[in-house]
Structures are given as structure tokens and as C-alpha cells.
Amino acid sequence: MRKKALITGASRGIGEALAKALAKEGYDLVLVCRRSGEKMNILQEELKARYGIDCRAVLSDVSDPDQVERLFAQTGDVDVLINNAAISYVGLLTDMSVKEWRQVIDTNLNSLFYTCKYAVPGMVCRKSGKIINVSSVWGNAGASMEVAYSAAKGGVNSFTKALAKELAPSNIQVNAVAFGVIDTEMNACFSEEEKLALREEIPADRLGTAEEAAEMILKVLEAPSYLTGQVITMDGGWI
């Protein structure tokens, strides 16, 4: 029987690459994003045709608890939950509005509570399940001009460690992967000169790719069950 994985933020970047990687491995998929419905439908049909899996694309804003409740009412239990949805804000803290702060925290951190609240009971019942939270090196080190994002990802790391302890007796693994600079649309706000400056700081002398990030997440999924409560860093030796 194939396992079912739910991926948030699945319409682009790491989420899209991960959907392709998991489909190739034979996972049935629930692909979730907030507004890229047409793109998601194309990806859904592509993965179903190529790999013969069951794949559903669902529009849902995971920063909204009511929408997450409806999402899980539609999709039912999942074996794997990948919390990947994220937004960023680059700018001075004092220029940030309360609404913008809440949007970053709701999307990057509170959404983990909402999705886990509905995914975990089925996992506990089956005594099996894996949760992977996509984090960032800024959750470890903090970044100037990205205070809200850093705070949210720091929360993701602590959330991961605490929930892993809570769920370990039920044979459920909870881990996070903290990525460095991955070449995705989220980083489109940076100019080529800024990206070059970033690259010069990274010992690997390049940005990571979404496909590499997906491969790392897949390796964590396939790791022995004794691996839990970890925040694994993948950043080209940067931080």
C-alpha cells in the first residue's frame, strides 16, 4: 500500500521539487498552496500521468486554521507531513507593519500547529508517521533585515524538537532541515549583485538548488526511525 504525503507550499521551489521526488518514489500526494491553482493542476496531472500515483491539488491558506481544518476533512489521514509553506519580509523591523509581522509568523510558524493538530491523531492511532519542517539557517543564527522570518524559523526549530519528544513514544519522527540560500522564487527579491555577494560568502561557491533540497528531505524521510528531534543544516558550509 502506497504512503500518502501532504506538502504545503507545493506550487514552486522546494515544494514543487519535493513533489516530483516523492512521486518518483511512489508516494501518493496532496499538494497544497494558497493561490497558484492552475500551476498546481498542471503539476498534479503531470505526476499522475508519469508515475501512476494518486495526486490531489488543493488550494488552502495554511496560515488560516479554519482552512486547514477543511483541508484535512477533505484529505483524511496522511503518513507524511511536509511543512514547507513560507513567506519572507526583507526590511527594517521598524518599517514592518503589525499585519506584515502577523502574516510571516502565521504562515511560517503557526501553520505548523494547525497542520500537525490534524495530522498527528491519525499517526498516533497507527503508531507511525513522519513530519518534516522546512527551516532556515536564519532560525539558528538570525538575519539582519529579516527579524520576523528569523524569529519564525527559530520557532520552527524549537517546535520540531519539542513535538519530536512528545511523539517519539508513538513511533512518529519529527525533524527539520535548515537550508541556506536556495535558488528559488523566494529569493527573487535579491538582485544579481546581491546574489553574487551571497555566493562569495558560501564555501561551496554557489547557491543550492531546489532539487538538492528535495533530495535532502527525501533522505531524512528514509532515515532510521531513531532519527528524531533533529534540525539538520544544509547550507554549503556557510553558517
Side-chain angles (χ1 to χ4, degrees), residues 11 33-43 57 59:
S11 65
C33 75
R34 184 173 56 178
R35 56 173 177 257
S36 301
E38 185 176 348
K39 185 175 181 181
M40 288 272 286
N41 288 334
I42 292 171
L43 179 61
L59 285 179

Side-chain angles (χ1 to χ4, degrees), residues 70-170:
R70 290 195 294 271
L71 167 66
F72 278 88
Q74 293 177 51
T75 60
D77 290 339
V78 297
D79 302 288
V80 173
L81 171 63
I82 311 291
N83 285 306
N84 171 67
I87 59 173
S88 64
Y89 175 93
V90 179
L92 293 171
L93 177 70
T94 49
D95 291 337
M96 191 176 197
S97 69
V98 171
K99 181 180 179 181
E100 288 168 331
W101 173 272
R102 287 175 175 165
Q103 286 175 335
V104 172
I105 299 300
D106 282 343
T107 303
N108 295 11
L109 178 58
N110 291 345
S111 63
L112 273 64
F113 166 59
Y114 306 145
T115 58
C116 288
K117 177 176 174 63
Y118 294 105
V120 164
M123 293 180 178
V124 171
C125 184
R126 296 188 304 277
K127 300 291 183 183
S128 175
K130 293 180 185 287
I131 299 170
I132 297 183
N133 301 318
V134 176
S135 188
S136 165
V137 293
W138 295 145
N140 301 326
S144 174
M145 306 287 282
E146 294 189 64
V147 174
Y149 183 82
S150 299
K153 292 302 186 181
V156 167
N157 294 348
S158 294
F159 181 100
T160 297
K161 294 175 182 180
L163 188 60
K165 292 177 179 179
E166 190 171 314
L167 297 181
S170 297

Side-chain angles (χ1 to χ4, degrees), residues 37-57:
E38 185 176 348
K39 185 175 181 181
M40 288 272 286
N41 288 334
I42 292 171
L43 179 61
Q44 169 190 263
E45 294 306 318
E46 174 191 336
L47 298 180
K48 287 167 66 176
R50 180 174 296 180
Y51 300 109
I53 61 163
D54 182 56
C55 183
R56 296 184 61 187

Side-chain angles (χ1 to χ4, degrees), residues 121-221:
M123 293 180 178
V124 171
C125 184
R126 296 188 304 277
K127 300 291 183 183
S128 175
K130 293 180 185 287
I131 299 170
I132 297 183
N133 301 318
V134 176
S135 188
S136 165
V137 293
W138 295 145
N140 301 326
S144 174
M145 306 287 282
E146 294 189 64
V147 174
Y149 183 82
S150 299
K153 292 302 186 181
V156 167
N157 294 348
S158 294
F159 181 100
T160 297
K161 294 175 182 180
L163 188 60
K165 292 177 179 179
E166 190 171 314
L167 297 181
S170 297
N171 189 38
I172 299 165
Q173 292 77 55
V174 186
N175 293 291
V177 183
F179 292 110
V181 185
I182 305 298
D183 193 10
T184 65
E185 288 181 37
M186 182 178 283
N187 294 315
C189 60
F190 297 111
S191 67
E192 288 304 315
E193 291 77 14
E194 289 169 328
K195 288 183 180 180
L196 179 60
L198 277 172
R199 198 185 81 183
E200 289 174 347
E201 295 178 5
I202 300 169
D205 194 33
R206 64 179 179 87
L207 309 188
T209 68
E211 289 71 25
E212 287 174 315
E215 183 181 353
M216 184 71 247
I217 293 170
L218 185 59
K219 288 184 183 299
V220 176
L221 279 179

